[in-house]
Amino acid sequence: MHSLLISPRFPPTFWSYEAILKLVGKKALMPPLGLITVAALLPGDWECRVVDCNVRPVTDAEWAWADIVLLSGMIVQKPHMLELVGEAKRRHKPVVVGGPYATALPDELRKAGADFLVLDEAELTLQPFLEALARGATGGTFTANGAKPDVTTTPAPRFELLELAAYDSMSIQFSRGCPFLCEFCDIIVLYGRRPRTKKPAQMLAEMDLLYQIGWRGTIFIVDDNFVGNRQAAKEMLRELVNWQSAHGFPFRLDTEASIDLAQDAELLDLMVASGFGSVFVGIETPDAESLQRTLKHQNLRQPLDEAVEAITGSGIRVMAGFIIGFDGEATGAGARIEEFAERNSIPTAFVSMLQALPGTALWDRLSREGRLRATTTASGNQTFLTNFAPTRPISQVAREFVEAFERLYEPRAYLDRTWRYFLALGAKRRVAPPVRTAATPFRDVLRSAPALIRIFWRQGLARNTRWRFWHHLVSIARHNSGALSDYVTTCALSEHFLVFRQLVRRDLDAQLMKMCASEVSPAPSSQVVVAP
C-alpha cells in the first residue's frame, strides 16, 4: 500500500517565525510528529511518504503514486486541511483523517469528503481502521470511546521520512495528558487528566535515532505539560543527563510546563543539567480572580513573579502565554499583562484573545449560556476575535489585545526587556553556568553568518534603536557571556514580531468592521484603531 501522509500548512501565527526561518535558510520550525508516529504504527509492508506542506507542496507525482492519503492536523490548520481533502477526492484517492482537529470536529471533515475518520489516539484506533480496510470497507469512523493508550508501547517515530534539513528543531514526546482543570484547555479533553509517560529507555532510544541520522541542535519536547507527572519526569531526566554527557551534549532541549515547575528545585536542577534552554508556561493573566474563575488553580499557589524569577534564576528562559477575554475580566487587562511582562522582563510574551475550543468545559458552558458565535468555531490563531460573546464589549477586548501586542513588541521596549532578562538569566548559577549545548542556526545565529549580518544591519545600523542594540549586546557579553548566543537569537525574533503585530492589527480591524456591518453591537465607532 502506497500511503501518502500529509501535514497541512499553518497560517502565519505568533510561533510561525517566517522572517527568522528565512534568514537562516529553514522552511519550518518543527516536523509533524503525529504523522511520523502514525507511519511507525502502519503495517511494515506499507510504503510511506511524508509531505509537510509547511516545507513544500505535494507534487503531482506523489499524488499519482499514492494508493491512500492520510491527513492529520490541528484546528489552526483547518483551512488547508479541508483543501487537501478536496484535492485528494478530486484525484479519486481514499482519504483518512485524524489528529486534534478531526477528533474535535469530525463532522466538518466528514462533510468535506473524508472517507475514514481515525479519531482520538492512533495507538487504539488505527488497528480497527486497518482491519476494516482489509475487509474491503470504503469508509467509517473509529474512536477510542474514552480509552487512553499505554504510551510505553508507542513505537519510535519514523524520523527518517522527514526532510531533516528543512527544520529548525526536531520534536519528540515524553508524556500525554495534564492533571489540571483549566476550563479553556482542550488537552485534558483530548488526552485526559492522568499524565501517561514513556519509559526513560524509550526516550533515550528516540534520542539515539536522531543522533544516528545526524541531527544536532534543538529538540522540542512537545508535551503540553512536561511536569504533569513530576516523579516520572525526574526519573527520565536522571538518565538523560548521563546520555547527554556521554554524547557530548548534542541536543539543546525546550518544552512546555505548568508554572508550578518553579516550586521544585530538584526538577529545575535536573532540567538544567540535561540541557534545557527554555520552557513555555501558561501564565494567562496576573488577575487572580480570572485565574480562579477559569480553574487555573496551579497559578495561585505561588506569586507569579516569584515563579518566573525562580525559573529564570535557574538558567531556563521563560516564554510566557497570556490570554485576554476571561469572563468577569476588569477593564485594562491588556495593560496589566503588559505591565507584568515588563516587570518580569519576559521577552517572548505570547498574548492572544480567548478562544472556546470544542469539547472543553468553557465551550460547554458558553453553549448552555447561548454565547457561542454562530459564525465560527475556533481558529487557534491570534489574528481572530473571540468566538463567543465576552462579558465586556468585544471591541474593548480586541482594542486592549492589539494595543498590548503593539507595545510589547515595539523595538525599544523589546530590546530593553530582552536585555534585562538575560542579565538575570541563570543569576543563581552564574559561578557555574549551565551546560552550553549544540545549537541550530536558528538557536545560534552566531553560527549563521548571513543571518548575523542581516540582524546587525537591521538592528545595529538601520533602526533608530541602534545604540541601544550595541550597548545591550556589549553588556550581555560582559556580564553573561554564556548566554550571548541565545541573547542575539532572542533579539532576532523581533523581526518576526514586528511583522506579525501589523498582521494582528489589520486582521482584527477588518473583522470588527465586518461585525459592525452585520450586527447592531458593537457600533462602528468601536473599530480598533492603533497608531502604526
Side-chain angles (χ1 to χ4, degrees):
M1 182 74 79
H2 290 176
S3 54
L4 183 62
L5 295 87
I6 308 175
S7 180
R9 284 193 306 269
F10 285 92
T13 70
F14 187 96
W15 297 111
S16 52
Y17 293 139
E18 292 94 346
I20 308 303
L21 291 168
K22 186 176 180 181
L23 277 179
V24 296
K26 300 295 180 180
K27 298 291 187 179
L29 191 61
M30 287 185 290
L33 183 62
L35 273 184
I36 58 175
T37 302
V38 167
L41 289 163
L42 290 172
D45 58 352
W46 283 35
E47 190 174 342
C48 298
R49 293 184 185 178
V50 171
V51 176
D52 182 356
C53 293
N54 299 284
V55 172
R56 63 171 179 84
V58 185
T59 65
D60 286 336
E62 287 165 332
W63 281 117
W65 171 87
D67 295 321
I68 193 167
V69 174
L70 297 92
L71 302 170
S72 178
M74 295 182 283
I75 289 176
V76 71
Q77 294 168 281
K78 168 182 172 176
H80 194 226
M81 190 161 175
L82 294 175
E83 195 178 307
L84 288 168
V85 171
E87 181 62 18
K89 296 311 296 179
R90 188 181 71 80
R91 294 173 181 265
H92 308 292
K93 305 293 182 181
V95 178
V96 186
V97 296
Y101 170 38
T103 298
L105 298 165
D107 287 344
E108 291 189 2
L109 285 155
R110 190 179 289 112
K111 290 175 183 176
D115 301 295
F116 297 95
L117 280 74
V118 181
L119 310 179
D120 301 316
E121 296 176 65
E123 290 91 343
L124 295 181
T125 55
L126 194 62
Q127 189 58 38
F129 152 71
L130 293 170
E131 293 169 359
L133 191 67
R135 293 193 301 267
T138 58
T141 300
F142 305 88
T143 68
N145 296 314
K148 305 296 179 188
D150 176 3
V151 295
T152 63
T153 64
T154 300
R158 293 192 60 185
F159 297 110
E160 79 279 4
L161 295 175
L162 299 170
E163 298 176 36
L164 287 179
Y167 297 99
D168 169 71
S169 306
M170 280 295 106
S171 51
I172 61 176
Q173 185 180 60
F174 172 60
S175 70
R176 295 182 200 165
C178 179
F180 300 118
L181 285 167
C182 308
E183 184 189 39
F184 57 86
C185 185
D186 64 344
I187 297 308
I188 55 178
V189 177
L190 292 169
Y191 304 119
R193 290 192 55 224
R194 185 179 66 83
R196 292 161 287 135
T197 64
K198 293 180 179 178
K199 296 175 182 177
Q202 281 178 278
M203 290 292 287
L204 299 188
E206 293 184 22
M207 297 275 189
D208 281 328
L209 279 176
L210 285 169
Y211 187 84
Q212 290 163 12
I213 64 176
W215 182 259
R216 300 293 184 274
T218 300
I219 295 177
F220 195 92
I221 299 180
V222 301
D223 303 20
D224 296 287
N225 187 0
F226 177 70
V227 300
N229 183 332
R230 292 193 200 180
Q231 191 56 42
K234 289 177 183 179
E235 290 174 8
M236 188 275 289
L237 289 171
R238 291 186 187 103
E239 298 198 27
L240 180 57
V241 170
N242 295 330
W243 188 95
Q244 285 267 59
S245 180
H247 291 78
F249 282 86
F251 304 138
R252 170 218 166 99
L253 306 171
D254 299 326
T255 193
E256 303 177 44
S258 49
I259 193 92
D260 58 340
L261 161 68
Q263 297 173 288
D264 196 322
E266 181 188 12
L267 187 51
L268 282 171
D269 287 345
L270 286 168
M271 290 177 68
V272 170
S274 300
F276 278 77
S278 67
V279 60
F280 177 82
V281 296
I283 291 174
E284 320 310 0
T285 174
D287 298 344
E289 186 177 340
S290 290
L291 292 172
Q292 187 73 40
R293 196 183 288 256
T294 199
L295 306 180
K296 190 93 178 181
H297 301 306
Q298 66 273 24
N299 284 30
L300 296 167
R301 296 174 183 170
Q302 178 185 17
L304 292 171
D305 295 72
E306 288 183 11
V308 172
E309 182 182 8
I311 298 172
T312 302
S314 76
I316 298 176
R317 181 166 68 89
V318 170
M319 299 180 287
F322 298 95
I323 294 174
I324 296 177
F326 290 115
D327 277 5
E329 185 178 71
T331 301
R336 291 191 294 277
I337 287 172
E338 182 186 349
E339 195 276 332
F340 181 91
E342 286 290 342
R343 185 171 69 243
N344 290 280
S345 303
I346 300 171
T348 312
F350 171 95
V351 189
S352 61
M353 279 192 288
L354 183 61
Q355 293 275 323
L357 299 175
T360 61
L362 176 63
W363 175 277
D364 293 341
R365 177 171 67 79
L366 294 173
S367 180
R368 290 194 304 271
E369 296 172 0
R371 292 168 56 197
L372 290 174
R373 289 171 53 202
T375 54
T376 182
T377 50
S379 68
N381 201 349
Q382 302 78 46
T383 58
F384 284 83
L385 295 170
T386 61
N387 59 338
F388 64 94
T391 54
R392 58 191 179 116
I394 193 168
S395 57
Q396 184 184 91
V397 176
R399 186 181 299 110
E400 289 187 11
F401 164 61
V402 173
E403 290 177 351
F405 207 98
E406 284 276 328
R407 287 192 291 260
L408 282 168
Y409 292 103
E410 186 275 325
R412 183 184 304 247
Y414 183 79
L415 275 177
D416 284 354
R417 204 163 61 246
T418 302
W419 171 57
R420 295 194 308 269
Y421 189 84
F422 274 83
L423 286 176
L425 183 65
K428 295 179 181 178
R429 301 174 180 273
R430 198 59 57 77
V431 292
V435 174
R436 306 313 301 168
T437 62
T440 57
F442 183 52
R443 288 295 182 190
D444 189 355
V445 295
L446 295 180
R447 296 171 187 252
S448 176
L452 191 62
I453 291 169
R454 286 191 179 187
I455 293 305
F456 281 179
W457 166 254
R458 292 179 184 179
Q459 300 193 16
L461 294 171
R463 293 203 183 113
N464 59 11
T465 52
R466 62 184 72 88
W467 297 116
R468 227 177 197 83
F469 174 81
W470 292 114
H471 169 271
H472 294 353
L473 182 67
V474 170
S475 175
I476 296 299
R478 289 180 57 195
H479 299 291
N480 195 4
S481 58
L484 183 62
S485 176
D486 280 351
Y487 171 76
V488 175
T489 299
T490 305
C491 288
L493 293 181
S494 67
E495 299 302 311
H496 168 67
F497 300 138
L498 283 171
V499 175
F500 188 64
R501 67 178 188 158
Q502 296 174 14
L503 184 65
V504 167
R505 182 178 65 233
R506 183 200 70 192
D507 287 0
L508 291 181
D509 195 36
Q511 290 168 58
L512 280 170
M513 289 180 68
K514 183 177 179 179
M515 180 184 291
C516 293
S518 60
E519 299 178 5
V520 175
S521 178
S525 60
S526 65
Q527 176 183 344
V528 174
V529 178
V530 180

